[in-house]
């Protein structure tokens, strides 16, 4: 197993240029989309089958009365505990030797279970080929010693690419520096391997709480209840079976069988 | 911010027919193994009903896929912790049991009878599975309501039982076999299943609390309360108590139970997907 690769998106450096969004579309040969009016410069309200990197423009009212304009290049989180991967019944979604989560277009049969299993709503269904689509962490690039297209294109190094431990260390230093400068709400999202989902291999530095960016504060693996739910189903089966047994063994016009 | 999988009418029908197929089969297995010789008709109808329904389920699932020709890719992996994966295998294995039991229903030899009865006990595990697993599949997604519903699988199983038994009794009535003891027994089993289903539904809603809003007070709420609770469970139970000896009344109640089972799958699936 090779060392884990990661992307660290430092939103404090983002200028909202969307070079990452364009580079992603170009490298992955994604289709043109008619932008959906969101009331901001954001092109789409959320990830689509043709948008794997999406720059979010969030206006947050601060107590001082000012509006903070928060810019965030959002992407698939490549979760250490990935709901989409656990859901996929064909093995099309799998983890690469680098820890990233790839989606093999040849294996996908379009059941869409992954679409409903992402706590962030990342995976989208492409009606054209009938398969699911998401950021692959530029798998073809990383398998050839290159970094993701978005990281390459970012002019401010807001998106950094490297080995996970190195990036986490950098991120922690950066948060401390920001806090020292008075940015009290600076926080990491997904950097902690003991945190939610085992940590995210595409993690972030945010300038406000996650819900400001429409990110879940404490995302959970959707499949965490499989055992409990299955046991409850078995319990129901026992009850129903007993009922049927009672009905068929009970008082009839005499018993015995042939 | 979450995305729905767009499982719509094809999957509503699949959930409904799969529940009946599984429920009819395990009812048949119980009648075959624990009932008297007079209950054989219940067993035969149950086994034979499950076969074309399972085939229909397979077709519905395949057609719903984004790339239907790749349906066999499901058999490229076996992840026992993944409801979708074991579901694909499970429905296939159940189909084989359904076929075997159905074929053996036409034989009168003692060996065929013994084999059928032993086989259907094993097959009924897969029958229970088919009725329940789709609920567990939903309750392990990230979506609101679905993902919060710990009892979805349990509820679907009870509904599979009540609809499967209703379907058997309706077919028997239509085929003129409703004057036997077997019919009385399957109706009784159906009443027990409906009571279990009502109790489970109450606990299901209680545990969900406000998370149940999509079905209790959303767009589909009238269908849920009127179609499932009213038409699908309370009214048929009342009808059976009041019209005990009148077979036609019991046949009507079976139809209502089936309608209720369809409504359950419809409201669960469509309430979260616009």
């Amino acid at each position: 197993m090779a060392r884990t690769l990661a992307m660290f998106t430092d939103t404090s450096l983002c200028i909202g240029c969307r070079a990452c969004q364009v580079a992603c579309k170009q490298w992955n040969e994604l289709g043109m989309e008619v932008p959906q009016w969101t009331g901001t410069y954001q092109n789409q309200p959320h990830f689509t089958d043709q948008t794997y990197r999406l720059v979010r423009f969030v206006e947050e009212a601060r107590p001082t009365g000012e509006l903070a304009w928060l810019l965030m290049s959002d992407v698939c989180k490549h979760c250490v505990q990935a709901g989409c991967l656990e859901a996929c019944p064909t093995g099309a979604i799998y983890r690469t030797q680098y820890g990233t989560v790839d989606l093999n277009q040849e294996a996908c049969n379009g059941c869409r279970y992954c679409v409903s299993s992402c706590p962030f709503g990342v995976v989208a269904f492409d009606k054209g080929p009938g398969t699911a689509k998401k950021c692959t962490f530029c798998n073809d690039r990383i398998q050839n010693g290159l970094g993701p297209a978005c990281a390459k294109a970012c002019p401010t190094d807001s998106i950094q690419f490297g080995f996970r431990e190195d990036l986490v260390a950098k991120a922690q230093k950066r948060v401390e520096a920001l806090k020292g400068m008075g940015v009290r709400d600076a926080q990491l999202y997904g950097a902690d391997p003991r945190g939610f989902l085992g940590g995210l291999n595409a993690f972030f530095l945010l300038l406000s709480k996650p819900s400001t960016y429409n990110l879940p504060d404490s995302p959970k693996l959707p499949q965490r209840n499989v055992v409990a739910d299955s046991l409850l189903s078995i319990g129901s089966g026992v009850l129903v079976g007993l009922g049927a047994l009672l009905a068929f063994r009970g008082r009839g016009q005499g018993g015995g069988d042939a | 911010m979450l995305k729905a999988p767009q499982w719509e009418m094809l999957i509503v029908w699949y959930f409904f027919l799969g529940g009946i197929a599984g429920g009819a089969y395990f009812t048949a297995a119980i009648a075959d193994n624990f009932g008297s010789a007079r209950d054989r008709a219940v067993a035969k109808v149950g086994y034979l009903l499950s076969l074309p329904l399972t085939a229909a389920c397979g077709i519905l699932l395949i057609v719903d896929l984004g790339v239907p020709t790749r349906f066999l890719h499901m058999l490229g992996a076996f992840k026992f912790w993944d409801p979708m994966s074991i579901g694909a295998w499970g429905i296939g294995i159940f189909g084989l049991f359904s076929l075997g039991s159905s074929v053996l229903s036409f034989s009168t030899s003692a060996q065929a009878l013994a084999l059928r009865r032993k086989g259907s006990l094993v097959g009924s595990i897969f029958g229970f599975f088919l009725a329940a697993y789709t609920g567990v599949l939903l309750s392990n997604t990230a979506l609101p309501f679905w993902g919060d519903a710990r009892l979805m699988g349990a509820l679907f199983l009870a509904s599979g039982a009540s609809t499967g038994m209703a379907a058997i009794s309706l077919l028997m009535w239509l085929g003129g076999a409703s004057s036997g003891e077997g019919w009385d027994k399957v109706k009784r089993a159906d009443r027990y299943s409906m009571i279990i289903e009502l109790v489970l539904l109450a606990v299901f809603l209680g545990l969900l609390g406000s998370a149940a809003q999509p079905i209790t007070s959303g767009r589909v709420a009238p269908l849920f309360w009127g179609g499932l609770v009213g038409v699908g469970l309370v009214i048929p139970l009342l009808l059976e108590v009041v019209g005990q000896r009148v077979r036609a009344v019991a046949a009507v109640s079976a139809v209502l139970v089936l309608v209720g089972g369809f409504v359950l799958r419809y409201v669960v699936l469509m309430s979260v997907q616009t």
Side-chain angles (χ1 to χ4, degrees), chain A residues 54-76:
Chain A
L54 176 66
V55 177
R56 298 190 187 277
F57 294 77
V58 180
E59 288 165 24
E60 185 191 31
R62 286 277 151 95
T64 51
E66 295 169 322
L67 265 184
W69 203 20
L70 304 172
L71 310 171
M72 175 210 185
S73 175
D74 201 1
V75 74
C76 166

Side-chain angles (χ1 to χ4, degrees), chain A residues 46 85 108 112 121 229, chain B residues 1 3 6 70 79 139 150:
Chain A
H46 203 24
L85 194 158
C108 176
R112 287 126 38 225
D229 296 355
Chain B
M1 290 288 278
K3 288 204 177 57
Q6 290 166 322
R70 290 182 183 171
K79 294 155 83 168
S139 64
R150 304 277 61 79

Side-chain angles (χ1 to χ4, degrees), chain B residues 123-255:
Chain B
S124 59
I125 297 172
F126 292 92
F128 280 113
F129 172 82
L130 178 60
Y133 95 94
T134 50
V136 179
L137 189 153
L138 292 183
S139 64
N140 285 273
T141 59
L143 292 165
F145 171 46
W146 290 0
D148 302 311
R150 304 277 61 79
L151 283 172
M152 191 73 86
L155 182 62
F156 275 21
L157 194 155
S159 175
S162 68
T163 52
M165 291 166 184
I168 291 175
S169 71
L170 186 63
L171 282 173
M172 287 176 76
W173 182 79
L174 287 168
S178 62
S179 46
E181 181 183 313
W183 199 75
D184 289 328
K185 288 187 179 177
V186 78
K187 289 304 282 177
R188 191 184 313 148
D190 200 7
R191 284 194 292 278
Y192 295 162
S193 299
M194 287 158 67
I195 292 168
I196 293 169
E197 188 178 346
L198 264 171
V199 171
L200 277 175
L201 187 58
V203 181
F204 174 85
L205 292 176
L207 284 179
L208 276 167
S210 58
Q213 254 179 28
I215 53 168
T216 57
S217 51
R219 204 175 29 100
V220 297
L223 260 179
F224 171 72
W225 292 111
L228 169 63
V229 180
V231 166
L233 288 169
V234 172
I235 292 176
L237 271 171
L238 284 176
L239 273 179
E240 296 212 13
V241 165
V242 163
Q244 274 244 4
R245 292 270 151 244
V246 184
R247 301 234 133 88
V249 168
V252 167
S253 103
V255 172

Side-chain angles (χ1 to χ4, degrees), chain A residues 97-231:
Chain A
Q97 76 270 43
Y98 298 115
T100 60
V101 180
D102 188 26
L103 206 172
N104 179 352
Q105 289 297 311
E106 309 309 312
C108 176
N109 63 12
C111 76
R112 287 126 38 225
Y113 198 25
C114 58
V115 173
S116 63
S117 300
C118 174
F120 305 96
V122 165
V123 192
F125 178 66
D126 188 349
K127 287 195 172 80
T131 57
K133 295 286 186 68
K134 74 171 194 74
C135 159
T136 65
F137 208 108
C138 279
N139 197 52
D140 47 354
R141 290 177 62 97
I142 61 175
Q143 297 296 343
N144 288 284
L146 303 172
C150 52
K152 174 94 179 170
C154 178
T156 61
D157 276 341
S158 168
I159 303 176
Q160 296 170 44
F161 158 73
F163 294 116
R164 190 184 158 76
E165 321 86 66
D166 301 337
L167 289 179
V168 169
K170 262 193 191 177
Q172 282 163 343
K173 284 209 193 78
R174 177 66 181 156
V175 167
E176 293 316 310
L178 282 169
K179 288 206 169 112
M181 288 193 265
V183 186
R184 275 175 313 171
D185 294 325
Q187 55 194 275
L188 293 178
Y189 185 77
D192 188 355
R194 291 157 311 167
F196 56 76
L197 302 176
L200 306 175
N201 286 329
F203 62 96
F204 299 81
L205 191 157
L206 303 175
L207 297 177
S208 182
K209 57 192 187 316
S211 53
T212 308
Y213 299 84
N214 265 322
L215 291 168
D217 283 303
S218 180
K220 299 190 173 61
L221 189 67
Q223 292 89 358
R224 65 197 181 285
N225 296 117
V226 165
V227 174
D229 296 355
S230 302
L231 288 174

Side-chain angles (χ1 to χ4, degrees), chain B residues 15 138 145-146 152 155-156 204 215 220 263-273:
Chain B
F15 281 12
L138 292 183
F145 171 46
W146 290 0
M152 191 73 86
L155 182 62
F156 275 21
F204 174 85
I215 53 168
V220 297
V263 169
L264 170 65
R265 307 310 192 286
Y266 180 86
V267 299
V268 165
L269 278 168
M270 300 313 248
S271 58
V272 179
Q273 306 181 96

